[in-house]
Amino acid sequence: MARGGDHGPPSRRRMHETMVLEHLRRYGGSSRAQLVAALGLSRATVSTLTRELADAGALHIAVSPDSPGRVGRRPEILSLDPRSGLVVGIDLGHRHVTVAAADAAHELVGSGTRRCGPEATWEARRETAVAMARGLIRSRDAPSVIGVGVGVAGSISHREEVVDATADRLGATFRAPVRVDNNARLAGLAEVLWGAARGLRDVLYLRLSAGVGGALVLDGELRRGPRALGGELGHVCVTEEPTRCRCGNRGCLETVVGRDSLLAAAGRPSLDDLRSALDQDDPRAQHVVREAGAAVGLAVAGVCTVVDVPDVVIGGELTVLGDHLFAPVRGALARHTPAGEPPRLHRAELDHRSGALGGIGVVLRDSAIPFAVPTTTASIAS
């Protein structure tokens, strides 16, 4: 048996090398110890492969930041060579266009947001995104664009037409593969990669804003479903009230906790004003938000029980309401989940860029999109 590293058959060596490169592509910077734990390879194999990949120019090596209480040598952090190119993420929302770019090492190199009114056409939003993305790329003098990930707001008319036109325009402009998905779903992926759900493998994400959307991550992968409805909690029925949702049904969660519905029920002009009323113990505001939180908890508890998800992340504009909203959500989760073990509730950590960051993430996780990363001579020969 070979010792001191991976010197077995070329096909096995290539497989191990691919495992290392794919892990760094999906998860970003990792120490050698983390690679050993994640991939199940020996320390010697990981050490040999990473050294030779670094020599070939595929990997970038940096010393991890110092931390209080650390004893001994700081580990080296390995990542893909950031010069491999840029990944662009775009969020085409109802009221904004957000663009972000990151390199192959998962380092964010720039971002920007422009507000847009309801009169802005989707074609105009696309052109705004193109101009913003070009600006980011020029500022980095990047050698190439690896891919573009785009989040498009849910519940828009002629959605299929918008999605197809967006993919065609961006693909032709940047000469790169394009992946398009629901922007709330991509925001959930971003929380798994860089936010409150980092390191978790089974997560339900819920975004409470003008609309209500979400994402379901099972065994580390986004679950879209054959009709792309995975994570669409906003259109789960939670009440027998006859309020019609924009999806065409009645009693959807979005009719209870969508921003505009919530503000109308509370008689408040803005979320900041609603938060102020809650802090002042306004009875009407408290009742409306308690009912909204209970509805969220009921819907989330049902999903988490059926698919056995232990962690829930809530993001979006409504998180400004703080524990006024989260407390009734927790209470409903405790009442409606079995065995007295409700899922853990987390507040989203990422800001308004989460949809665009998720666009970056969906490209980084798509192995069908090639990266221009050198491999070792031994791997090429195999």
Side-chain angles (χ1 to χ4, degrees):
M1 180 180 294
R3 295 184 180 180
D6 193 344
H7 299 293
S11 58
R12 186 179 70 179
R13 180 187 180 84
R14 180 167 59 184
M15 178 182 70
H16 291 168
E17 184 176 282
T18 299
M19 290 168 62
V20 169
L21 293 173
E22 184 65 17
H23 182 87
L24 294 176
R25 170 179 172 154
R26 290 171 63 88
Y27 299 103
S30 304
S31 67
R32 290 182 178 87
Q34 289 171 326
L35 289 172
V36 168
L39 303 178
L41 300 176
S42 70
R43 292 174 183 267
T45 293
V46 168
S47 179
T48 299
L49 284 175
T50 55
R51 182 180 66 250
E52 294 179 356
L53 284 167
D55 290 342
L59 301 186
H60 174 72
I61 301 178
V63 177
S64 66
D66 201 3
S67 59
R70 177 184 293 280
V71 177
R73 185 178 178 183
R74 288 181 288 168
E76 292 181 327
I77 300 300
L78 311 171
S79 60
L80 295 185
D81 184 352
R83 296 170 297 180
S84 302
L86 292 183
V87 179
V88 175
I90 297 172
D91 183 356
L92 299 178
H94 287 291
R95 297 189 178 190
H96 69 272
V97 174
T98 300
V99 176
D103 59 33
H106 286 222
E107 289 296 320
L108 185 68
V109 300
S111 65
T113 295
R114 292 186 186 173
R115 308 301 294 181
C116 56
E119 73 285 352
T121 66
W122 291 98
E123 180 181 7
R125 296 167 203 241
R126 281 195 301 272
E127 295 311 307
T128 296
V130 167
M132 294 171 68
R134 281 175 168 161
L136 284 179
I137 294 166
R138 282 196 300 268
S139 70
R140 297 295 297 186
D141 193 25
S144 64
V145 174
I146 297 168
V148 182
V150 187
V152 178
S155 300
I156 62 173
S157 60
H158 58 284
R159 180 179 177 81
E160 186 173 347
E161 176 187 333
V162 169
V163 168
D164 290 344
T166 298
D168 291 344
R169 175 72 171 99
L170 294 172
T173 299
F174 299 109
R175 300 181 182 276
V178 178
R179 300 292 184 264
V180 184
D181 208 327
N182 180 283
N183 62 352
R185 187 177 293 125
L186 294 186
L189 175 61
E191 289 290 341
V192 170
L193 289 174
W194 298 292
R198 187 170 54 252
L200 302 178
R201 296 189 62 80
D202 298 285
V203 181
L204 178 65
Y205 170 80
L206 185 62
R207 183 158 75 171
L208 304 176
S209 292
V212 177
L216 185 60
V217 176
L218 300 177
D219 199 24
E221 300 292 338
L222 267 182
R223 173 61 179 166
R224 294 179 174 85
R227 296 175 295 165
L229 294 176
E232 283 285 7
L233 266 75
H235 303 294
V236 172
C237 183
V238 295
T239 176
E240 294 183 355
E241 292 295 324
T243 307
R244 185 176 292 277
C245 179
R246 58 182 173 175
C247 74
N249 290 330
R250 298 179 186 274
C252 294
L253 180 63
E254 188 169 300
T255 67
V256 179
V257 296
R259 182 196 59 225
D260 295 341
S261 297
L262 189 69
L263 291 175
R268 297 289 168 172
S270 69
L271 289 172
D272 287 339
D273 188 75
L274 177 57
R275 174 61 194 255
S276 178
L278 291 166
D279 289 341
Q280 296 171 22
D281 298 327
D282 177 80
R284 179 178 176 182
Q286 288 181 327
H287 172 75
V288 167
V289 173
R290 271 199 308 268
E291 291 297 305
V296 169
L298 176 64
V300 167
V303 175
C304 290
T305 299
V306 171
V307 295
D308 195 17
V309 174
D311 289 278
V312 176
V313 177
I314 296 182
E317 295 174 276
L318 266 63
T319 58
V320 73
L321 302 180
D323 214 45
H324 295 293
L325 175 67
F326 279 80
V329 173
R330 291 191 189 95
L333 286 174
R335 290 193 301 274
H336 298 297
T337 49
E341 294 184 7
R344 294 176 290 268
L345 189 62
H346 312 269
R347 180 170 176 168
E349 294 180 357
L350 302 178
D351 57 21
H352 65 279
R353 298 174 297 177
S354 59
L357 293 175
I360 293 171
V362 82
V363 172
L364 291 171
R365 287 186 153 219
D366 190 339
S367 58
I369 298 177
F371 274 34
V373 177
T375 53
T376 67
T377 301
S379 176
I380 293 171
S382 66

